[in-house]
PDB file of all heavy atoms in Angstrom:
ATOM      1  N   PRO A   1     -20.038   9.403  12.776  1.00 46.00           N
ATOM      2  CA  PRO A   1     -20.738   8.904  13.982  1.00 46.00           C
ATOM      3  C   PRO A   1     -19.823   7.737  14.564  1.00 46.00           C
ATOM      4  O   PRO A   1     -19.303   6.943  13.767  1.00 46.00           O
ATOM      5  CB  PRO A   1     -22.055   8.406  13.497  1.00 46.00           C
ATOM      6  CG  PRO A   1     -22.323   9.107  12.176  1.00 46.00           C
ATOM      7  CD  PRO A   1     -20.963   9.314  11.628  1.00 46.00           C
ATOM      8  N   ILE A   2     -19.761   7.704  15.850  1.00 44.00           N
ATOM      9  CA  ILE A   2     -18.856   6.783  16.484  1.00 44.00           C
ATOM     10  C   ILE A   2     -19.183   5.366  16.184  1.00 44.00           C
ATOM     11  O   ILE A   2     -18.252   4.440  16.145  1.00 44.00           O
ATOM     12  CB  ILE A   2     -18.887   6.961  18.046  1.00 44.00           C
ATOM     13  CG1 ILE A   2     -17.720   6.117  18.710  1.00 44.00           C
ATOM     14  CG2 ILE A   2     -20.221   6.523  18.640  1.00 44.00           C
ATOM     15  CD1 ILE A   2     -16.375   6.659  18.354  1.00 44.00           C
ATOM     16  N   ASN A   3     -20.401   5.041  15.836  1.00 43.00           N
ATOM     17  CA  ASN A   3     -20.772   3.687  15.647  1.00 43.00           C
ATOM     18  C   ASN A   3     -20.328   3.167  14.254  1.00 43.00           C
ATOM     19  O   ASN A   3     -20.475   2.003  13.910  1.00 43.00           O
ATOM     20  CB  ASN A   3     -22.352   3.486  15.756  1.00 43.00           C
ATOM     21  CG  ASN A   3     -23.089   4.288  14.748  1.00 43.00           C
ATOM     22  OD1 ASN A   3     -22.727   5.322  14.258  1.00 43.00           O
ATOM     23  ND2 ASN A   3     -24.245   3.744  14.286  1.00 43.00           N
ATOM     24  N   ILE A   4     -19.871   3.989  13.339  1.00 44.00           N
ATOM     25  CA  ILE A   4     -19.405   3.578  12.057  1.00 44.00           C
ATOM     26  C   ILE A   4     -17.998   4.006  11.781  1.00 44.00           C
ATOM     27  O   ILE A   4     -17.423   3.759  10.751  1.00 44.00           O
ATOM     28  CB  ILE A   4     -20.281   4.120  10.885  1.00 44.00           C
ATOM     29  CG1 ILE A   4     -20.184   5.593  10.793  1.00 44.00           C
ATOM     30  CG2 ILE A   4     -21.721   3.617  11.053  1.00 44.00           C
ATOM     31  CD1 ILE A   4     -20.759   6.199   9.570  1.00 44.00           C
ATOM     32  N   SER A   5     -17.323   4.637  12.781  1.00 56.00           N
ATOM     33  CA  SER A   5     -15.954   4.990  12.628  1.00 56.00           C
ATOM     34  C   SER A   5     -15.050   3.802  12.699  1.00 56.00           C
ATOM     35  O   SER A   5     -15.349   2.883  13.474  1.00 56.00           O
ATOM     36  CB  SER A   5     -15.587   6.091  13.613  1.00 56.00           C
ATOM     37  OG  SER A   5     -15.663   5.572  14.931  1.00 56.00           O
ATOM     38  N   PHE A   6     -14.012   3.775  11.982  1.00 83.00           N
ATOM     39  CA  PHE A   6     -12.999   2.686  12.116  1.00 83.00           C
ATOM     40  C   PHE A   6     -11.612   3.133  11.821  1.00 83.00           C
ATOM     41  O   PHE A   6     -11.422   4.254  11.290  1.00 83.00           O
ATOM     42  CB  PHE A   6     -13.411   1.473  11.118  1.00 83.00           C
ATOM     43  CG  PHE A   6     -13.841   1.923   9.798  1.00 83.00           C
ATOM     44  CD1 PHE A   6     -12.923   1.903   8.791  1.00 83.00           C
ATOM     45  CD2 PHE A   6     -15.093   2.203   9.575  1.00 83.00           C
ATOM     46  CE1 PHE A   6     -13.367   2.290   7.485  1.00 83.00           C
ATOM     47  CE2 PHE A   6     -15.625   2.585   8.289  1.00 83.00           C
ATOM     48  CZ  PHE A   6     -14.651   2.637   7.239  1.00 83.00           C
ATOM     49  N   ALA A   7     -10.656   2.341  12.110  1.00 93.00           N
ATOM     50  CA  ALA A   7      -9.246   2.723  12.050  1.00 93.00           C
ATOM     51  C   ALA A   7      -8.815   2.939  10.640  1.00 93.00           C
ATOM     52  O   ALA A   7      -9.322   2.417   9.696  1.00 93.00           O
ATOM     53  CB  ALA A   7      -8.350   1.724  12.727  1.00 93.00           C
ATOM     54  N   ASN A   8      -7.721   3.783  10.489  1.00 95.00           N
ATOM     55  CA  ASN A   8      -7.176   4.047   9.235  1.00 95.00           C
ATOM     56  C   ASN A   8      -6.875   2.823   8.288  1.00 95.00           C
ATOM     57  O   ASN A   8      -7.147   2.872   7.061  1.00 95.00           O
ATOM     58  CB  ASN A   8      -5.935   4.992   9.325  1.00 95.00           C
ATOM     59  CG  ASN A   8      -6.254   6.490   9.671  1.00 95.00           C
ATOM     60  OD1 ASN A   8      -7.448   6.728  10.054  1.00 95.00           O
ATOM     61  ND2 ASN A   8      -5.385   7.303   9.415  1.00 95.00           N
ATOM     62  N   PHE A   9      -6.355   1.810   8.910  1.00 96.00           N
ATOM     63  CA  PHE A   9      -5.933   0.712   8.075  1.00 96.00           C
ATOM     64  C   PHE A   9      -7.206  -0.017   7.465  1.00 96.00           C
ATOM     65  O   PHE A   9      -7.129  -0.884   6.588  1.00 96.00           O
ATOM     66  CB  PHE A   9      -5.080  -0.265   8.864  1.00 96.00           C
ATOM     67  CG  PHE A   9      -5.753  -1.240   9.774  1.00 96.00           C
ATOM     68  CD1 PHE A   9      -5.925  -2.501   9.330  1.00 96.00           C
ATOM     69  CD2 PHE A   9      -6.183  -0.785  11.071  1.00 96.00           C
ATOM     70  CE1 PHE A   9      -6.532  -3.448  10.274  1.00 96.00           C
ATOM     71  CE2 PHE A   9      -6.676  -1.779  11.880  1.00 96.00           C
ATOM     72  CZ  PHE A   9      -6.986  -3.069  11.495  1.00 96.00           C
ATOM     73  N   GLN A  10      -8.363   0.253   8.018  1.00 95.00           N
ATOM     74  CA  GLN A  10      -9.577  -0.324   7.614  1.00 95.00           C
ATOM     75  C   GLN A  10     -10.509   0.610   6.750  1.00 95.00           C
ATOM     76  O   GLN A  10     -11.522   0.344   6.271  1.00 95.00           O
ATOM     77  CB  GLN A  10     -10.414  -0.809   8.708  1.00 95.00           C
ATOM     78  CG  GLN A  10      -9.770  -1.848   9.693  1.00 95.00           C
ATOM     79  CD  GLN A  10     -10.520  -2.049  10.936  1.00 95.00           C
ATOM     80  OE1 GLN A  10     -10.805  -1.045  11.648  1.00 95.00           O
ATOM     81  NE2 GLN A  10     -10.826  -3.248  11.289  1.00 95.00           N
ATOM     82  N   ASP A  11      -9.957   1.915   6.606  1.00 95.00           N
ATOM     83  CA  ASP A  11     -10.732   3.013   6.060  1.00 95.00           C
ATOM     84  C   ASP A  11     -10.157   3.455   4.727  1.00 95.00           C
ATOM     85  O   ASP A  11      -9.050   3.858   4.595  1.00 95.00           O
ATOM     86  CB  ASP A  11     -10.714   4.155   7.013  1.00 95.00           C
ATOM     87  CG  ASP A  11     -11.633   5.265   6.733  1.00 95.00           C
ATOM     88  OD1 ASP A  11     -12.204   5.257   5.574  1.00 95.00           O
ATOM     89  OD2 ASP A  11     -11.881   6.077   7.565  1.00 95.00           O
ATOM     90  N   ALA A  12     -10.972   3.326   3.566  1.00 95.00           N
ATOM     91  CA  ALA A  12     -10.449   3.717   2.300  1.00 95.00           C
ATOM     92  C   ALA A  12     -10.501   5.170   2.093  1.00 95.00           C
ATOM     93  O   ALA A  12     -10.013   5.678   1.058  1.00 95.00           O
ATOM     94  CB  ALA A  12     -11.345   2.986   1.277  1.00 95.00           C
ATOM     95  N   ASP A  13     -11.038   5.961   3.018  1.00 95.00           N
ATOM     96  CA  ASP A  13     -11.017   7.459   2.924  1.00 95.00           C
ATOM     97  C   ASP A  13     -10.576   8.032   4.311  1.00 95.00           C
ATOM     98  O   ASP A  13     -11.384   8.198   5.222  1.00 95.00           O
ATOM     99  CB  ASP A  13     -12.431   7.943   2.592  1.00 95.00           C
ATOM    100  CG  ASP A  13     -12.525   9.524   2.495  1.00 95.00           C
ATOM    101  OD1 ASP A  13     -11.446  10.124   2.542  1.00 95.00           O
ATOM    102  OD2 ASP A  13     -13.607  10.057   2.485  1.00 95.00           O
ATOM    103  N   ASP A  14      -9.296   8.008   4.505  1.00 94.00           N
ATOM    104  CA  ASP A  14      -8.706   8.264   5.801  1.00 94.00           C
ATOM    105  C   ASP A  14      -9.006   9.574   6.479  1.00 94.00           C
ATOM    106  O   ASP A  14      -9.027   9.775   7.728  1.00 94.00           O
ATOM    107  CB  ASP A  14      -7.221   8.077   5.741  1.00 94.00           C
ATOM    108  CG  ASP A  14      -6.776   6.602   5.565  1.00 94.00           C
ATOM    109  OD1 ASP A  14      -7.412   5.725   6.171  1.00 94.00           O
ATOM    110  OD2 ASP A  14      -5.893   6.306   4.713  1.00 94.00           O
ATOM    111  N   ASP A  15      -9.271  10.610   5.662  1.00 92.00           N
ATOM    112  CA  ASP A  15      -9.676  11.907   6.211  1.00 92.00           C
ATOM    113  C   ASP A  15     -11.165  12.203   6.121  1.00 92.00           C
ATOM    114  O   ASP A  15     -11.539  13.252   6.574  1.00 92.00           O
ATOM    115  CB  ASP A  15      -8.786  12.985   5.637  1.00 92.00           C
ATOM    116  CG  ASP A  15      -8.893  13.025   4.119  1.00 92.00           C
ATOM    117  OD1 ASP A  15      -9.783  12.358   3.526  1.00 92.00           O
ATOM    118  OD2 ASP A  15      -8.205  13.868   3.535  1.00 92.00           O
ATOM    119  N   GLY A  16     -11.918  11.328   5.617  1.00 90.00           N
ATOM    120  CA  GLY A  16     -13.335  11.474   5.569  1.00 90.00           C
ATOM    121  C   GLY A  16     -13.802  12.615   4.707  1.00 90.00           C
ATOM    122  O   GLY A  16     -14.848  13.216   4.992  1.00 90.00           O
ATOM    123  N   ASP A  17     -13.052  12.981   3.724  1.00 92.00           N
ATOM    124  CA  ASP A  17     -13.422  14.178   2.886  1.00 92.00           C
ATOM    125  C   ASP A  17     -14.281  13.859   1.625  1.00 92.00           C
ATOM    126  O   ASP A  17     -14.479  14.701   0.759  1.00 92.00           O
ATOM    127  CB  ASP A  17     -12.170  15.000   2.502  1.00 92.00           C
ATOM    128  CG  ASP A  17     -11.179  14.248   1.632  1.00 92.00           C
ATOM    129  OD1 ASP A  17     -11.517  13.080   1.362  1.00 92.00           O
ATOM    130  OD2 ASP A  17     -10.168  14.759   1.362  1.00 92.00           O
ATOM    131  N   GLY A  18     -14.566  12.566   1.490  1.00 92.00           N
ATOM    132  CA  GLY A  18     -15.390  12.160   0.328  1.00 92.00           C
ATOM    133  C   GLY A  18     -14.496  11.717  -0.845  1.00 92.00           C
ATOM    134  O   GLY A  18     -15.058  11.239  -1.872  1.00 92.00           O
ATOM    135  N   VAL A  19     -13.183  11.921  -0.842  1.00 94.00           N
ATOM    136  CA  VAL A  19     -12.283  11.473  -1.862  1.00 94.00           C
ATOM    137  C   VAL A  19     -11.512  10.304  -1.266  1.00 94.00           C
ATOM    138  O   VAL A  19     -10.793  10.468  -0.188  1.00 94.00           O
ATOM    139  CB  VAL A  19     -11.371  12.654  -2.279  1.00 94.00           C
ATOM    140  CG1 VAL A  19     -10.404  12.107  -3.467  1.00 94.00           C
ATOM    141  CG2 VAL A  19     -12.180  13.775  -2.876  1.00 94.00           C
ATOM    142  N   SER A  20     -11.392   9.246  -1.995  1.00 96.00           N
ATOM    143  CA  SER A  20     -10.696   8.068  -1.409  1.00 96.00           C
ATOM    144  C   SER A  20      -9.205   8.307  -1.283  1.00 96.00           C
ATOM    145  O   SER A  20      -8.605   9.186  -1.969  1.00 96.00           O
ATOM    146  CB  SER A  20     -10.911   6.844  -2.317  1.00 96.00           C
ATOM    147  OG  SER A  20     -10.190   7.000  -3.514  1.00 96.00           O
ATOM    148  N   THR A  21      -8.649   7.631  -0.273  1.00 96.00           N
ATOM    149  CA  THR A  21      -7.152   7.811  -0.069  1.00 96.00           C
ATOM    150  C   THR A  21      -6.333   7.405  -1.327  1.00 96.00           C
ATOM    151  O   THR A  21      -5.475   8.168  -1.723  1.00 96.00           O
ATOM    152  CB  THR A  21      -6.710   6.801   1.096  1.00 96.00           C
ATOM    153  OG1 THR A  21      -7.347   7.329   2.343  1.00 96.00           O
ATOM    154  CG2 THR A  21      -5.254   6.821   1.204  1.00 96.00           C
ATOM    155  N   ARG A  22      -6.792   6.328  -1.980  1.00 96.00           N
ATOM    156  CA  ARG A  22      -6.074   6.002  -3.208  1.00 96.00           C
ATOM    157  C   ARG A  22      -6.105   7.034  -4.245  1.00 96.00           C
ATOM    158  O   ARG A  22      -5.098   7.354  -4.910  1.00 96.00           O
ATOM    159  CB  ARG A  22      -6.739   4.669  -3.820  1.00 96.00           C
ATOM    160  CG  ARG A  22      -5.993   4.214  -5.049  1.00 96.00           C
ATOM    161  CD  ARG A  22      -6.534   2.811  -5.524  1.00 96.00           C
ATOM    162  NE  ARG A  22      -6.028   1.719  -4.706  1.00 96.00           N
ATOM    163  CZ  ARG A  22      -4.869   1.131  -4.859  1.00 96.00           C
ATOM    164  NH1 ARG A  22      -4.046   1.509  -5.859  1.00 96.00           N
ATOM    165  NH2 ARG A  22      -4.515   0.180  -4.088  1.00 96.00           N
ATOM    166  N   ASN A  23      -7.315   7.771  -4.412  1.00 95.00           N
ATOM    167  CA  ASN A  23      -7.254   8.862  -5.359  1.00 95.00           C
ATOM    168  C   ASN A  23      -6.371   9.933  -4.961  1.00 95.00           C
ATOM    169  O   ASN A  23      -5.772  10.607  -5.860  1.00 95.00           O
ATOM    170  CB  ASN A  23      -8.670   9.359  -5.494  1.00 95.00           C
ATOM    171  CG  ASN A  23      -9.540   8.568  -6.557  1.00 95.00           C
ATOM    172  OD1 ASN A  23      -8.966   7.921  -7.426  1.00 95.00           O
ATOM    173  ND2 ASN A  23     -10.863   8.648  -6.477  1.00 95.00           N
ATOM    174  N   GLU A  24      -6.300  10.213  -3.707  1.00 96.00           N
ATOM    175  CA  GLU A  24      -5.482  11.344  -3.262  1.00 96.00           C
ATOM    176  C   GLU A  24      -3.982  11.131  -3.269  1.00 96.00           C
ATOM    177  O   GLU A  24      -3.186  12.076  -3.088  1.00 96.00           O
ATOM    178  CB  GLU A  24      -5.901  11.792  -1.752  1.00 96.00           C
ATOM    179  CG  GLU A  24      -7.355  12.351  -1.701  1.00 96.00           C
ATOM    180  CD  GLU A  24      -7.637  13.112  -0.637  1.00 96.00           C
ATOM    181  OE1 GLU A  24      -7.430  14.354  -0.663  1.00 96.00           O
ATOM    182  OE2 GLU A  24      -8.183  12.567   0.411  1.00 96.00           O
ATOM    183  N   ILE A  25      -3.636   9.892  -3.536  1.00 96.00           N
ATOM    184  CA  ILE A  25      -2.084   9.554  -3.614  1.00 96.00           C
ATOM    185  C   ILE A  25      -1.738   8.992  -4.988  1.00 96.00           C
ATOM    186  O   ILE A  25      -0.609   8.562  -5.157  1.00 96.00           O
ATOM    187  CB  ILE A  25      -1.680   8.563  -2.513  1.00 96.00           C
ATOM    188  CG1 ILE A  25      -2.411   7.186  -2.693  1.00 96.00           C
ATOM    189  CG2 ILE A  25      -1.896   9.167  -1.166  1.00 96.00           C
ATOM    190  CD1 ILE A  25      -1.833   6.135  -1.765  1.00 96.00           C
ATOM    191  N   SER A  26      -2.643   9.075  -5.959  1.00 95.00           N
ATOM    192  CA  SER A  26      -2.403   8.528  -7.273  1.00 95.00           C
ATOM    193  C   SER A  26      -2.190   9.524  -8.347  1.00 95.00           C
ATOM    194  O   SER A  26      -2.768  10.589  -8.241  1.00 95.00           O
ATOM    195  CB  SER A  26      -3.605   7.600  -7.736  1.00 95.00           C
ATOM    196  OG  SER A  26      -3.706   6.478  -6.839  1.00 95.00           O
ATOM    197  N   ALA A  27      -1.377   9.116  -9.358  1.00 93.00           N
ATOM    198  CA  ALA A  27      -1.191   9.958 -10.597  1.00 93.00           C
ATOM    199  C   ALA A  27      -2.405   9.541 -11.496  1.00 93.00           C
ATOM    200  O   ALA A  27      -3.145   8.601 -11.270  1.00 93.00           O
ATOM    201  CB  ALA A  27       0.104   9.715 -11.190  1.00 93.00           C
ATOM    202  N   GLU A  28      -2.473  10.270 -12.645  1.00 91.00           N
ATOM    203  CA  GLU A  28      -3.524  10.032 -13.564  1.00 91.00           C
ATOM    204  C   GLU A  28      -3.468   8.643 -14.169  1.00 91.00           C
ATOM    205  O   GLU A  28      -4.445   8.060 -14.548  1.00 91.00           O
ATOM    206  CB  GLU A  28      -3.567  11.094 -14.785  1.00 91.00           C
ATOM    207  CG  GLU A  28      -3.970  12.431 -14.265  1.00 91.00           C
ATOM    208  CD  GLU A  28      -4.151  13.396 -15.506  1.00 91.00           C
ATOM    209  OE1 GLU A  28      -5.174  13.270 -16.194  1.00 91.00           O
ATOM    210  OE2 GLU A  28      -3.289  14.278 -15.622  1.00 91.00           O
ATOM    211  N   ASN A  29      -2.228   8.035 -14.244  1.00 91.00           N
ATOM    212  CA  ASN A  29      -2.144   6.772 -14.775  1.00 91.00           C
ATOM    213  C   ASN A  29      -2.390   5.613 -13.769  1.00 91.00           C
ATOM    214  O   ASN A  29      -2.229   4.471 -14.049  1.00 91.00           O
ATOM    215  CB  ASN A  29      -0.755   6.591 -15.445  1.00 91.00           C
ATOM    216  CG  ASN A  29       0.351   6.615 -14.409  1.00 91.00           C
ATOM    217  OD1 ASN A  29       0.105   6.794 -13.239  1.00 91.00           O
ATOM    218  ND2 ASN A  29       1.547   6.458 -14.849  1.00 91.00           N
ATOM    219  N   GLY A  30      -2.666   6.037 -12.543  1.00 91.00           N
ATOM    220  CA  GLY A  30      -3.061   5.099 -11.487  1.00 91.00           C
ATOM    221  C   GLY A  30      -1.845   4.733 -10.602  1.00 91.00           C
ATOM    222  O   GLY A  30      -2.124   4.033  -9.554  1.00 91.00           O
ATOM    223  N   ASP A  31      -0.690   5.168 -10.944  1.00 93.00           N
ATOM    224  CA  ASP A  31       0.537   4.914 -10.108  1.00 93.00           C
ATOM    225  C   ASP A  31       0.447   5.666  -8.821  1.00 93.00           C
ATOM    226  O   ASP A  31       0.083   6.817  -8.775  1.00 93.00           O
ATOM    227  CB  ASP A  31       1.843   5.190 -10.833  1.00 93.00           C
ATOM    228  CG  ASP A  31       2.153   4.319 -12.021  1.00 93.00           C
ATOM    229  OD1 ASP A  31       1.483   3.213 -12.068  1.00 93.00           O
ATOM    230  OD2 ASP A  31       2.881   4.652 -12.862  1.00 93.00           O
ATOM    231  N   ILE A  32       0.929   4.959  -7.764  1.00 94.00           N
ATOM    232  CA  ILE A  32       1.018   5.691  -6.436  1.00 94.00           C
ATOM    233  C   ILE A  32       2.214   6.673  -6.451  1.00 94.00           C
ATOM    234  O   ILE A  32       3.283   6.373  -6.949  1.00 94.00           O
ATOM    235  CB  ILE A  32       1.249   4.728  -5.267  1.00 94.00           C
ATOM    236  CG1 ILE A  32       0.123   3.592  -5.272  1.00 94.00           C
ATOM    237  CG2 ILE A  32       1.330   5.408  -3.916  1.00 94.00           C
ATOM    238  CD1 ILE A  32      -1.317   4.223  -5.064  1.00 94.00           C
ATOM    239  N   ILE A  33       1.929   7.878  -5.963  1.00 94.00           N
ATOM    240  CA  ILE A  33       2.977   8.970  -5.971  1.00 94.00           C
ATOM    241  C   ILE A  33       3.757   8.768  -4.644  1.00 94.00           C
ATOM    242  O   ILE A  33       3.091   8.841  -3.575  1.00 94.00           O
ATOM    243  CB  ILE A  33       2.298  10.332  -6.111  1.00 94.00           C
ATOM    244  CG1 ILE A  33       1.510  10.395  -7.419  1.00 94.00           C
ATOM    245  CG2 ILE A  33       3.394  11.368  -6.011  1.00 94.00           C
ATOM    246  CD1 ILE A  33       0.815  11.741  -7.532  1.00 94.00           C
ATOM    247  N   PHE A  34       5.085   8.765  -4.733  1.00 91.00           N
ATOM    248  CA  PHE A  34       5.913   8.780  -3.543  1.00 91.00           C
ATOM    249  C   PHE A  34       6.858   9.959  -3.685  1.00 91.00           C
ATOM    250  O   PHE A  34       7.520  10.200  -4.766  1.00 91.00           O
ATOM    251  CB  PHE A  34       6.712   7.513  -3.394  1.00 91.00           C
ATOM    252  CG  PHE A  34       5.912   6.263  -3.127  1.00 91.00           C
ATOM    253  CD1 PHE A  34       5.702   5.386  -4.152  1.00 91.00           C
ATOM    254  CD2 PHE A  34       5.286   6.033  -1.917  1.00 91.00           C
ATOM    255  CE1 PHE A  34       4.872   4.261  -3.909  1.00 91.00           C
ATOM    256  CE2 PHE A  34       4.577   4.931  -1.637  1.00 91.00           C
ATOM    257  CZ  PHE A  34       4.336   3.978  -2.656  1.00 91.00           C
ATOM    258  N   PRO A  35       6.994  10.766  -2.671  1.00 92.00           N
ATOM    259  CA  PRO A  35       6.282  10.707  -1.465  1.00 92.00           C
ATOM    260  C   PRO A  35       4.867  11.174  -1.747  1.00 92.00           C
ATOM    261  O   PRO A  35       4.603  11.737  -2.712  1.00 92.00           O
ATOM    262  CB  PRO A  35       7.048  11.708  -0.480  1.00 92.00           C
ATOM    263  CG  PRO A  35       7.788  12.632  -1.425  1.00 92.00           C
ATOM    264  CD  PRO A  35       8.139  11.827  -2.682  1.00 92.00           C
ATOM    265  N   TYR A  36       4.050  10.788  -0.770  1.00 94.00           N
ATOM    266  CA  TYR A  36       2.560  11.104  -0.991  1.00 94.00           C
ATOM    267  C   TYR A  36       2.408  12.696  -1.147  1.00 94.00           C
ATOM    268  O   TYR A  36       3.020  13.400  -0.406  1.00 94.00           O
ATOM    269  CB  TYR A  36       1.659  10.558   0.108  1.00 94.00           C
ATOM    270  CG  TYR A  36       1.836   9.092   0.406  1.00 94.00           C
ATOM    271  CD1 TYR A  36       2.174   8.614   1.675  1.00 94.00           C
ATOM    272  CD2 TYR A  36       1.736   8.213  -0.606  1.00 94.00           C
ATOM    273  CE1 TYR A  36       2.329   7.214   1.790  1.00 94.00           C
ATOM    274  CE2 TYR A  36       1.829   6.793  -0.376  1.00 94.00           C
ATOM    275  CZ  TYR A  36       2.101   6.279   0.786  1.00 94.00           C
ATOM    276  OH  TYR A  36       2.196   4.998   1.050  1.00 94.00           O
ATOM    277  N   PRO A  37       1.528  13.060  -1.961  1.00 93.00           N
ATOM    278  CA  PRO A  37       1.232  14.474  -2.132  1.00 93.00           C
ATOM    279  C   PRO A  37       0.837  15.101  -0.792  1.00 93.00           C
ATOM    280  O   PRO A  37       0.047  14.516  -0.064  1.00 93.00           O
ATOM    281  CB  PRO A  37       0.064  14.559  -3.129  1.00 93.00           C
ATOM    282  CG  PRO A  37       0.161  13.243  -3.926  1.00 93.00           C
ATOM    283  CD  PRO A  37       0.736  12.252  -2.935  1.00 93.00           C
ATOM    284  N   SER A  38       1.332  16.292  -0.533  1.00 93.00           N
ATOM    285  CA  SER A  38       0.936  17.000   0.665  1.00 93.00           C
ATOM    286  C   SER A  38       0.773  18.420   0.493  1.00 93.00           C
ATOM    287  O   SER A  38       1.235  19.076  -0.508  1.00 93.00           O
ATOM    288  CB  SER A  38       2.044  16.717   1.763  1.00 93.00           C
ATOM    289  OG  SER A  38       3.275  17.309   1.351  1.00 93.00           O
ATOM    290  N   THR A  39       0.042  19.065   1.423  1.00 92.00           N
ATOM    291  CA  THR A  39      -0.167  20.433   1.362  1.00 92.00           C
ATOM    292  C   THR A  39       0.041  21.038   2.766  1.00 92.00           C
ATOM    293  O   THR A  39      -0.546  20.584   3.740  1.00 92.00           O
ATOM    294  CB  THR A  39      -1.635  20.862   0.903  1.00 92.00           C
ATOM    295  OG1 THR A  39      -1.902  20.261  -0.340  1.00 92.00           O
ATOM    296  CG2 THR A  39      -1.884  22.343   0.932  1.00 92.00           C
ATOM    297  N   GLY A  40       1.033  22.025   2.835  1.00 90.00           N
ATOM    298  CA  GLY A  40       1.254  22.539   4.119  1.00 90.00           C
ATOM    299  C   GLY A  40       2.009  21.596   5.117  1.00 90.00           C
ATOM    300  O   GLY A  40       1.760  21.704   6.285  1.00 90.00           O
ATOM    301  N   GLY A  41       2.633  20.669   4.527  1.00 91.00           N
ATOM    302  CA  GLY A  41       3.299  19.617   5.437  1.00 91.00           C
ATOM    303  C   GLY A  41       2.415  18.432   5.898  1.00 91.00           C
ATOM    304  O   GLY A  41       2.910  17.548   6.513  1.00 91.00           O
ATOM    305  N   VAL A  42       1.120  18.466   5.501  1.00 92.00           N
ATOM    306  CA  VAL A  42       0.177  17.430   5.867  1.00 92.00           C
ATOM    307  C   VAL A  42      -0.131  16.644   4.678  1.00 92.00           C
ATOM    308  O   VAL A  42      -0.669  17.280   3.653  1.00 92.00           O
ATOM    309  CB  VAL A  42      -1.068  18.002   6.499  1.00 92.00           C
ATOM    310  CG1 VAL A  42      -2.024  16.873   6.895  1.00 92.00           C
ATOM    311  CG2 VAL A  42      -0.750  18.858   7.729  1.00 92.00           C
TER     312      VAL A  42
END
């Protein structure tokens, strides 16, 4: 809803899929994966 939407830099779940951004870019040991994991170029 527009009244609770906010910009990516303020949003811990950037795609709104229920899984946090940090979880989607982290390895099991908690390290950030570079480059960020992607599927189909996204």
Side-chain angles (χ1 to χ4, degrees):
I2 191 66
N3 63 329
I4 64 169
S5 63
F6 44 92
N8 281 16
F9 83 99
Q10 301 166 309
D11 189 350
D13 179 10
D14 290 317
D15 56 10
D17 62 359
V19 180
S20 72
T21 294
R22 181 175 285 275
N23 274 341
E24 296 201 85
I25 63 173
S26 295
E28 288 190 76
N29 64 0
D31 290 344
I32 304 297
I33 301 171
F34 295 103
Y36 303 129
S38 64
T39 302
V42 178

